[in-house]
C-alpha cells in the first residue's frame, strides 16, 4: 500500500490523500464484486471510511486500486 505515492504512511491534512492498494488473486477461480475499504482511525474523534468502486479480479491476476480521502476540512 502507498499513501500519496509514498510508502511512509504519512497523510497530508488540508488536501486530498490517495491510498493505492495492490490486490492479488492467488485463488484458482475468478473473484467478482470486490471492494476495498480504507479506514483512517480517530480523525478529530471520528473514524473516516472510504470504499473503492466494485471490481472483478481473474484468477492469478492483480490490480492496483486507488481510494481517495479529502482531508481539506480536517
Amino acid at each position: 500500500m502507498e499513501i500519496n505515492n509514498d510508502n511512509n504512511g504519512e497523510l497530508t491534512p488540508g488536501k486530498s490523500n490517495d491510498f493505492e492498494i495492490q490486490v492479488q488473486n492467488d485463488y484458482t477461480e475468478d473473484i467478482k464484486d470486490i471492494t476495498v475499504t480504507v479506514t483512517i482511525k480517530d480523525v478529530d474523534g471520528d473514524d473516516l471510511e472510504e470504499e473503492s468502486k466494485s471490481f472483478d479480479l481473474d484468477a492469478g491476476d492483480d490490480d492496483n486500486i486507488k481510494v481517495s480521502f479529502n482531508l481539506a476540512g480536517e
Side-chain angles (χ1 to χ4, degrees):
M1 177 176 76
E2 290 187 352
I3 301 172
N4 298 325
N5 297 317
D6 196 354
N7 60 4
N8 67 8
E10 293 186 24
L11 297 171
T12 305
K15 69 174 217 169
S16 181
N17 288 262
D18 298 321
F19 290 71
E20 189 169 325
I21 300 99
Q22 183 180 33
V23 180
Q24 186 169 332
N25 181 2
D26 290 333
Y27 195 53
T28 57
E29 296 184 23
D30 298 347
I31 302 174
K32 300 198 180 300
D33 295 324
I34 301 168
T35 56
V36 174
T37 302
V38 176
T39 304
I40 303 175
K41 298 230 177 238
D42 196 25
V43 176
D44 294 334
D46 293 320
D47 294 345
L48 302 179
E49 189 171 277
E50 290 290 339
E51 193 171 89
S52 71
K53 292 181 181 178
S54 180
F55 63 98
D56 299 335
L57 198 56
D58 293 339
D61 282 351
D62 62 67
D63 201 356
N64 290 326
I65 305 304
K66 186 181 281 188
V67 178
S68 297
F69 280 87
N70 185 350
L71 300 178
E74 306 302 329

